[in-house]
């Protein structure tokens, strides 16, 4: 997993991530709030949420070549609190070509990797993004 430390709090980092996704015209398909789910069953978990997002025009051609890659899509980013720190994490999509038969889509996987890197940097409040 590639992770990046945020310079902001949890709520601000999550809001920045969502805003960055929306600014790019991508769809937020769902948000999974692990901490809220833990509270619902009487357990404690520090803030942690997975945001699933993307654009079917990017992912569909990958699935057309290897349907199994659907377990990896849409793209996702984890935001979590670890002590006083807030982190963002994601898996490098370029690694998917080693698991699935999508070698003809290296350009798409590179674009996905670049997008995730930009989103994480922007959500983390890094200058120049």
């Amino acid at each position: 997993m590639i992770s990046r430390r945020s310079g902001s709090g949890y709520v601000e980092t999550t809001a920045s991530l969502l805003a960055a996704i929306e600014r790019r015209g991508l769809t937020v398909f769902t948000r999974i709030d692990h901490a809220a789910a833990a509270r619902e069953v009487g357990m404690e978990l520090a803030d942690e949420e997975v945001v699933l997002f993307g654009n079917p025009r990017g992912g569909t051609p990958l699935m057309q070549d290897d349907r199994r890659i659907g377990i990896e899509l849409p793209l996702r980013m984890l935001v979590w609190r670890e002590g006083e720190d807030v982190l963002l994490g994601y898996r490098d999509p370029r690694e998917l070509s080693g698991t699935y038969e999508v070698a003809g889509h290296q350009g798409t996987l590179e674009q996905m990797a670049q997008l995730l890197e930009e989103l994480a940097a922007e959500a983390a409040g890094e200058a120049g993004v």
Side-chain angles (χ1 to χ4, degrees):
M1 174 184 277
I2 297 170
S3 60
R4 180 171 301 222
R5 195 167 314 282
S6 177
S8 303
Y10 179 81
V11 172
E12 184 178 1
T13 299
T14 303
S16 293
L17 173 61
L18 295 170
I21 291 168
E22 291 172 10
R23 268 194 301 280
R24 287 166 173 80
L26 302 171
T27 301
V28 173
F29 293 107
T30 195
R31 297 168 60 183
I32 303 168
D33 187 336
H34 291 303
R39 285 190 299 273
E40 288 177 9
V41 296
M43 299 177 76
E44 290 185 29
L45 184 66
D47 293 328
E48 182 171 322
E49 182 174 344
V50 181
V51 179
L52 283 82
F53 60 93
N55 179 334
R57 291 189 190 281
T60 300
L62 297 170
M63 289 183 281
Q64 288 173 330
D65 279 4
D66 189 338
R67 301 293 297 267
R68 299 172 303 150
I69 201 169
I71 194 71
E72 311 287 352
L73 299 171
L75 295 175
R76 60 205 66 201
M77 190 164 301
L78 177 67
V79 183
W80 77 99
R81 184 186 310 273
E82 193 169 288
E84 297 298 315
D85 294 326
V86 174
L87 297 107
L88 297 115
Y90 58 93
R91 293 191 55 198
D92 188 336
R94 293 171 290 209
E95 295 175 359
L96 298 175
S97 63
T99 306
Y100 304 101
E101 295 176 24
V102 293
H105 297 280
Q106 280 307 120
T108 299
L109 296 172
E110 286 288 338
Q111 289 174 344
M112 289 177 168
Q114 181 67 32
L115 171 66
L116 288 164
E117 182 179 329
E118 290 172 4
L119 291 171
E122 195 169 325
E126 294 180 11
V129 186

